[in-house]
Amino acid sequence: MGEYEQISLVPDLGGEIEEEDRIRKREEENLVESLLFSLGRSVSVEEIATCLNMGKDGAFLAAERLRERYEERQEGLLIKKLEDRYQMVSHPKTYEGLIRVVKRPQKPVLSDVALETLSIIAYCQPITKVEVERIRGVKSDHAVNRLVEFGLIEEVGRLEAPGRPMLFATTEEFLYRFGVNSLKDLPALPEEVEKLLKEEVTEELKDGFGLEPDEAEATDENTVGEETEETVGEETEEAAREEIEEEQREVLEEDLRNSTEEEAEEEANAESPET
């Protein structure tokens, strides 16, 4: 009998599995893409996991694959990673055309004072306004308010100290505006500058609030015992009341001074002959 060529009837299982895996991954990426487009905001890994009905690790991988795909295409849109969130954004190369339609860019223009204040908050967060002022050496109310208005910083809690001052930190908008994926990507400060900032913050915690840095962390994390919490709470409330009363007195005194000055000016104008 002659020899016959052997024909394999075994299917290429390896190839089929790879093809199924490729299709599954693309479907996951498509779902993530649709989610980002539909919500129009940054989306957390937890939300992506819920959409894909899988764990956070798988959701993270799907989002990263989609981000890399957009990065390779370099077309009109990009997927931006902001800390542990993802957002669909316009590619920078399209800005010129978009601005012609929008008429003017919405990006806020920051003054040198605002930039200086923002830099301090970015590197020392969470931080109170008083600590910022200690480092800058001048009042920073206006700069802080502007940064909040622009959405670059936000209130993230209150310091467990007299008056319970607000703690500020940068926002997701800050990361987006300055083109960084995480606070870890911020440029490293010179060693002497970093040391100086820490010293100023420590001094303000001691002088302004009577706290050591570790005490501030402990109270912020609610790690103090119940008895200590009650005592500190009572002292804090008393100090806060005293501070409010002092502020009210200052306001009344200021109003009284202004009123007296206005009356004196009116009398002087009344006595002066008209020209």
Side-chain angles (χ1 to χ4, degrees):
M1 295 178 62
E3 293 184 359
Y4 295 95
E5 183 180 353
Q6 188 174 10
I7 300 175
S8 174
L9 299 178
V10 180
D12 183 8
L13 296 179
E16 290 183 5
I17 292 174
E18 288 181 2
E19 180 62 17
E20 288 178 1
D21 186 58
R22 186 190 66 78
I23 294 173
R24 176 185 58 81
K25 288 181 178 178
R26 181 52 65 95
E27 289 175 349
E28 291 173 357
E29 294 166 25
N30 291 343
L31 266 176
V32 176
E33 183 179 41
S34 179
L35 178 66
L36 297 180
F37 175 79
S38 299
L39 294 185
R41 58 168 174 80
S42 66
V43 180
S44 67
V45 174
E46 288 83 357
E47 290 175 303
I48 295 173
T50 300
C51 178
L52 298 179
N53 195 27
M54 63 169 58
K56 289 175 60 177
D57 291 342
F60 170 76
L61 292 175
E64 278 297 302
R65 289 197 307 270
L66 181 66
R67 184 185 65 78
E68 291 171 3
R69 219 171 87 200
Y70 270 74
E71 191 71 30
E72 290 173 2
R73 285 167 45 187
Q74 288 292 307
E75 295 182 353
L77 297 171
L78 289 174
I79 304 297
K80 188 77 173 175
K81 186 175 186 294
L82 306 167
E83 293 286 5
D84 61 344
R85 304 174 71 87
Y86 292 85
Q87 184 171 7
M88 183 177 288
V89 300
S90 303
H91 196 294
K93 68 183 181 183
T94 67
Y95 289 173
E96 184 178 351
L98 296 177
I99 289 172
R100 284 198 292 270
V101 177
V102 179
K103 302 301 182 186
R104 63 183 180 88
Q106 300 299 312
K107 184 176 180 179
V109 178
L110 298 179
S111 64
D112 291 341
V113 171
L115 280 173
E116 181 181 286
T117 304
L118 181 59
S119 299
I120 292 171
I121 295 172
Y123 282 98
C124 299
Q125 60 185 303
I127 186 173
T128 65
K129 182 169 63 66
V130 178
E131 290 172 272
V132 173
E133 292 171 347
R134 173 68 175 251
I135 294 171
R136 293 192 63 230
V138 293
K139 284 286 187 182
S140 303
D141 298 77
H142 180 70
V144 170
N145 291 338
R146 291 292 284 172
L147 292 173
V148 171
E149 180 184 335
F150 289 148
L152 297 173
I153 65 171
E154 63 183 350
E155 180 187 343
V156 293
R158 290 183 177 269
L159 184 66
E160 292 293 339
R164 290 180 57 78
M166 289 186 289
L167 289 165
F168 292 96
T170 54
T171 62
E172 188 179 278
E173 180 71 10
F174 165 80
L175 297 176
Y176 175 68
R177 290 295 183 186
F178 286 85
V180 292
N181 295 334
S182 168
L183 293 174
K184 297 176 183 178
D185 296 335
L186 290 175
L189 290 174
E191 187 175 341
E192 61 274 13
V193 175
E194 186 174 359
K195 182 180 179 182
L196 179 62
L197 287 176
K198 289 181 179 179
E199 287 175 354
E200 291 290 349
V201 170
T202 301
E203 287 300 317
E204 184 55 40
L205 287 173
K206 286 181 181 178
D207 300 342
F209 305 115
L211 295 173
E212 296 289 344
D214 54 347
E215 291 177 337
E217 291 177 8
T219 53
D220 189 48
E221 294 172 3
N222 297 319
T223 55
V224 186
E226 291 182 2
E227 183 177 349
T228 306
E229 284 181 355
E230 291 177 3
T231 305
V232 173
E234 292 172 1
E235 293 177 354
T236 300
E237 290 178 7
E238 174 116 7
R241 280 197 298 271
E242 291 177 358
E243 186 173 336
I244 291 171
E245 290 173 1
E246 180 64 26
E247 290 178 355
Q248 290 174 339
R249 280 196 296 271
E250 290 177 358
V251 171
L252 288 173
E253 290 174 1
E254 181 69 22
D255 289 343
L256 181 60
R257 281 196 298 271
N258 293 337
S259 176
T260 303
E261 291 173 359
E262 289 175 1
E263 289 176 0
E265 186 177 348
E266 288 177 359
E267 289 178 3
N269 291 336
E271 292 174 0
S272 301
E274 293 184 1
T275 57

